């Protein structure tokens, strides 16, 4: 298995089929650097002789699978992959070149942080890099970061944590404070558990994973996501309570089954980038019939604040890259315990509502199970929502509605009918359409694609 600290050029050679380095200054011109730090010039010369590099990053244009990308690879052997003024200049050049070519950026990060011998001038490279990340986002180009061992300090706080998709190599130390500042170092596994890393990857799996991700993020296609056909029962419920009972049945098809049937293959993202993960919400990008569709799916549990925030992050990223979105609604409602309230569940729901409302790409919604109040509706696209026979959508559960209205518990079933929450009720009220069969779903997709093709906001990311 390759080492996470393998030299930058060896790593580039292992991950790419072709690589052309960007031109840069070949000579270390300043003897002891901008601060005239005693011995700094000698350290630079020794690092250059040891690694064959003139700086701590190697940047160039690479072929990775079927995609062209600009690669920024840190050479940890060069002064611990530290960030200096020339490092910042090279990274700035790389991102600028990516925008000129309209290709993605892949950052292979391994750094101990800012370079002490250049002091605050080294620290000032962080806003410089952040500016390049921002400009690249505004250009609707994806940025994938790979966290190697170690990824600390400003490298983590810009190129690492600031990427659209963050992949972490197993065993890497990842954290703002490195091991010499606060031992022991924080691990990538802990960052993944905290919702700050999308996937954990073995080093020998990295090339295949990058190829898949670059393919997904650069093939958005046109038109809306097709409506998935129902996987469960095909008959509509007779009563409101029957609709509720069906949606709550443990044997009913869940989000994971829908996604497996819908996509040829997919890559998940994880976490809200703010310290939270909700395992009951599945988000990511999938490949279907030669195009990419983003998905945000509720898994049948009460959705927690981190779930709403992760889904909102997914929708905004898809919108920026011109990728249509599929949402699957299935929740008894938003989590409402003390922990959820302290984590800002109301604000998180608002964030998801706003992300869907602001999306310029089409969002397709399928109600596949329980649709409990605003926690469910936040995932829904008004005007583009379908419902399966196994589902319901209500202002609140029948039990809680009866309690709020001070009705006898024996009236819960009648309350379910009064709420008009069945799929056919939703269709009659103009809230949703009845979910199609497989043949109907295909025909609907073709018609919608034809109508929306010229209106679809697309942002090509390959030359």
């Amino acid at each position: 298995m390759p080492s996470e600290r393998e030299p930058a050029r060896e790593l580039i050679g292992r991950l790419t089929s072709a690589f052309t380095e960007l031109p840069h200054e070949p000579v270390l011109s300043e003897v002891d650097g901008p601060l005239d730090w005693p011995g700094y010039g000698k350290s630079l010369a020794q690092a250059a002789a040891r690694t064959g590099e003139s700086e701590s990053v190697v940047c160039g244009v690479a072929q990775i699978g079927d995609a062209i990308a600009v690669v920024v690879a840190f050479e940890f052997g060069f002064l611990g992959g530290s960030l200096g003024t020339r490092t910042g200049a090279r990274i700035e050049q790389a991102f600028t070149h990516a925008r000129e070519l309209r290709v993605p950026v892949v950052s292979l990060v391994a750094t101990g942080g800012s370079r002490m011998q250049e002091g605050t001038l080294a620290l000032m490279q962080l806003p410089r890099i952040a500016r390049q990340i921002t400009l690249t986002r505004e250009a609707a180009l994806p940025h994938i970061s790979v966290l190697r061992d170690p990824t600390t300090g400003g490298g983590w706080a810009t190129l690492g944590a600031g990427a659209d998709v963050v992949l972490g190599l197993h065993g890497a130390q990842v954290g703002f404070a490195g091991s010499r500042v606060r031992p022991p170092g924080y691990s990538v596994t802990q960052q993944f558990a905290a919702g700050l890393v999308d996937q954990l990857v073995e080093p020998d799996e990295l090339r295949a994973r990058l190829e898949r991700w670059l393919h997904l993020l650069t093939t958005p296609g046109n038109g809306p996501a097709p409506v998935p056909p129902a996987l469960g029962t095909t008959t509509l419920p007779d009563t409101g309570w029957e609709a509720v009972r069906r949606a709550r049945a443990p044997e009913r098809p869940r989000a994971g089954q829908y996604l497996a049937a819908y996509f040829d293959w997919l890559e998940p993202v994880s976490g809200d980038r703010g310290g939270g993960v909700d395992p009951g919400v599945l988000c990511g990008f999938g490949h279907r019939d030669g195009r990419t569709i983003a998905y945000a799916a509720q898994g049948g549990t009460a959705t927690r604040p981190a779930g709403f925030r992760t889904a909102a992050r997914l929708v905004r990223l898809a919108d920026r890259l011109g990728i249509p979105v599929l949402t699957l609604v299935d929740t008894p409602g938003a989590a409402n315990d003390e922990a959820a309230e302290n984590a800002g569940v109301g604000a998180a729901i608002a964030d998801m509502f706003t992300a869907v409302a602001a999306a310029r790409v089409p969002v397709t919604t399928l109600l596949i199970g329980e649709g409990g109040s605003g926690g469910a509706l936040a995932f829904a696209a008004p005007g583009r929502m379908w419902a399966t026979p196994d589902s319901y959508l209500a202002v609140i559960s029948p039990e809680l509605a009866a309690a709020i209205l001070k009705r006898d518990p024996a009236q819960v079933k009648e309350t379910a009918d009064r709420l008009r929450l069945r799929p056919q009720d939703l269709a009659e009220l103009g809230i949703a359409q009845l979910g199609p069969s497989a043949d109907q779903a295909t025909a609907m997709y073709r018609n919608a694609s034809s109508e929306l093709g010229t209106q679809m906001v697309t942002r090509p990311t390959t030359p």
Side-chain angles (χ1 to χ4, degrees), residues 60-73:
V61 181
Q63 178 88 38
I64 303 177
D66 59 8
I68 302 294
V70 165
V71 171
V72 176

Side-chain angles (χ1 to χ4, degrees), residues 34 105 111 145 149 153 188 210 343 346 358 361 374 381 389 439 457:
V105 177
T111 173
S145 181
D149 183 40
V188 69
L210 280 176
V361 295
D439 291 340
V457 179

Side-chain angles (χ1 to χ4, degrees), residues 134-382:
T134 300
L135 291 173
T136 304
R137 279 185 187 159
E138 291 175 350
L141 297 170
H143 175 202
I144 301 173
S145 181
V146 178
L147 311 180
R148 299 153 61 206
D149 183 40
T151 297
T152 63
W156 165 232
T158 53
L159 292 169
D164 297 317
V165 176
V166 181
L167 308 179
L169 294 187
H170 273 288
Q173 176 195 166
V174 178
F176 188 65
S179 59
R180 294 188 181 183
V181 177
R182 188 210 54 190
Y186 214 62
S187 76
V188 69
T189 304
Q190 291 168 297
Q191 299 287 7
F192 176 74
L196 300 169
V197 174
D198 288 306
Q199 294 182 356
L200 296 177
V201 183
E202 295 293 346
D204 56 0
E205 298 174 349
L206 181 57
R207 178 167 180 162
R209 195 62 60 86
L210 280 176
E211 289 179 355
R212 286 163 65 99
W213 268 113
L214 287 169
H215 181 82
L216 285 172
L217 299 183
T218 58
T219 55
N222 287 308
V227 183
L231 298 182
T233 183
T234 58
T235 60
L236 293 170
D238 292 329
T239 67
W241 186 247
E242 183 185 352
V244 173
R245 182 183 57 78
R246 283 190 188 184
R248 292 176 180 175
E251 66 274 11
R252 171 182 56 79
R254 305 285 164 159
Q257 294 165 271
Y258 273 92
L259 295 175
Y262 188 79
F263 288 114
D264 306 317
W265 50 271
L266 54 81
E267 290 289 345
V269 300
S270 178
D272 64 0
R273 298 289 176 87
V277 175
D278 182 355
V281 172
L282 306 177
C283 294
F285 295 85
H287 181 270
R288 177 186 168 93
D289 297 334
R291 64 196 293 255
T292 300
I293 296 169
Y295 63 88
Q298 293 171 312
T301 58
T303 303
R304 306 204 65 79
F308 291 111
R309 293 190 177 107
T310 302
R313 173 168 78 90
L314 181 282
V315 171
R316 290 192 176 102
L317 175 56
D319 185 52
R320 177 157 54 81
L321 300 179
I323 298 172
V325 179
L326 170 70
T327 62
L328 301 179
V329 175
D330 183 10
T331 179
N336 58 8
D337 54 21
E338 183 178 359
E341 294 290 358
N342 289 339
V345 64
I349 294 172
D351 192 36
M352 184 57 179
F353 268 122
T354 302
V356 173
R360 295 160 293 178
V361 295
V363 179
T364 300
T365 298
L366 182 64
L367 181 63
I368 64 171
E370 289 198 82
S373 194
L377 197 60
F379 274 67

